[in-house]
Amino acid sequence: MTRRIVACGGRELFFPQLIDYVLSFAAPKRPRVLFLPTASGDGVGYLLTFYQQLAGRDLELSHLALFDRTVDDVDGLIRDQDVVIVGGGNTANMLAIWRLHGVDRALRAAYDAGTVLTGWSAGCICWFEGGTTDSFTPELGGLRDGLAFLKGSATPHYDSEERRPMVYAREIAAGLPPGIALDDGVAARYDDERLVEVVSERADGRAFRVDREGEHPLDVRVLG
């Protein structure tokens, strides 16, 4: 069973071809898709966007709320999914809450069993060892306690937030593991912890491998 993560730089739900790309890796004809809106504090707006943007597809949609928890068996719910989508927001808060409720362990078990994991912003950074985040300050800083399903670090919103490149370079120089930088609408697919390809619904979407020597452009395949 292939372990698969598709990490997106930003606004994943607003790129239908990107969503189709993620769903193409789900085995059943009617995939079960779970949304984790933890990083936004289970914000109603995020939930509405999830259900609206995926409406019309033959999917079994659900979400897991942790601030007003209604599910007893979190582990069973997550393991039962074909795709788990993680939304954006405060990455550090999300990781702390996940660890309190055992979501981190459930995600690891689901990942090992073949559930496709994806997400944008916080839902991109979380799969790596660390990344850059506005969890602690709007000026951005380093986060070093990601789930570490994938080695290295990540930074999303590389084109839409002007401080991202500078802060990422600064944090890598200060000891953050080298990693990947992704524009909004650009996603990196990892199979069994190996980067297979980078895809984008945007013709101008970019991705970079970033280390102490600087940016190294990655090939990006435009969807469609």
Side-chain angles (χ1 to χ4, degrees), residues 5-221:
I5 293 174
V6 183
C8 181
R11 296 181 59 78
E12 183 176 12
L13 292 178
F14 294 94
F15 293 95
Q17 291 183 38
L18 188 53
I19 290 297
D20 288 342
Y21 175 80
V22 173
L23 295 174
S24 72
F25 299 110
K29 291 184 178 179
R30 190 169 190 267
R32 294 158 295 185
V33 180
L34 178 72
F35 183 49
L36 299 184
T38 319
S40 67
D42 295 341
V44 174
Y46 261 104
L47 287 173
L48 183 61
T49 298
F50 167 71
Y51 285 106
Q52 285 180 334
Q53 295 300 120
L54 271 67
R57 291 180 171 86
D58 190 16
L59 304 170
E60 185 178 328
L61 301 177
S62 61
H63 68 274
L64 172 62
L66 295 175
F67 287 83
D68 186 15
R69 183 166 161 176
T70 59
V71 173
D72 288 328
D73 186 6
V74 167
D75 182 73
L77 175 67
I78 292 176
R79 287 187 190 223
D80 198 39
Q81 304 304 312
D82 301 299
V83 178
V84 173
I85 301 176
V86 178
N90 190 303
T91 311
N93 288 0
M94 177 184 75
L95 289 169
I97 291 166
W98 279 2
R99 286 165 174 146
L100 182 65
H101 291 266
V103 173
D104 57 332
R105 297 188 298 275
L107 286 169
R108 180 74 224 194
Y111 173 61
D112 288 340
T115 297
V116 179
L117 305 179
T118 189
W120 72 94
S121 195
C124 168
I125 299 167
C126 66
W127 313 118
F128 295 83
E129 294 176 87
T132 60
T133 179
D134 59 2
S135 297
F136 310 108
T137 167
E139 297 303 310
L140 300 176
L143 181 141
R144 291 170 167 78
D145 64 342
L147 296 177
F149 294 2
L150 300 174
K151 291 184 178 180
S153 62
T155 192
H157 308 303
Y158 209 59
D159 61 331
S160 61
E161 297 182 1
E162 63 179 3
R163 288 182 56 82
R164 287 280 174 178
M166 178 189 69
V167 172
Y168 199 30
R170 181 193 74 200
E171 293 300 322
I172 288 175
L176 185 72
I180 193 167
L182 299 166
D183 284 355
D184 289 353
V186 178
R189 174 183 143 212
Y190 294 82
D191 288 359
D192 295 326
E193 296 81 58
R194 179 178 62 87
L195 179 61
V196 174
E197 68 172 345
V198 181
V199 299
S200 173
E201 189 165 330
R202 298 169 42 195
D204 60 347
R206 307 168 308 154
F208 301 91
R209 180 175 59 84
V210 184
D211 57 25
R212 291 193 176 196
E213 281 67 54
E215 298 176 346
H216 309 277
L218 295 171
D219 291 335
V220 178
R221 180 169 71 87

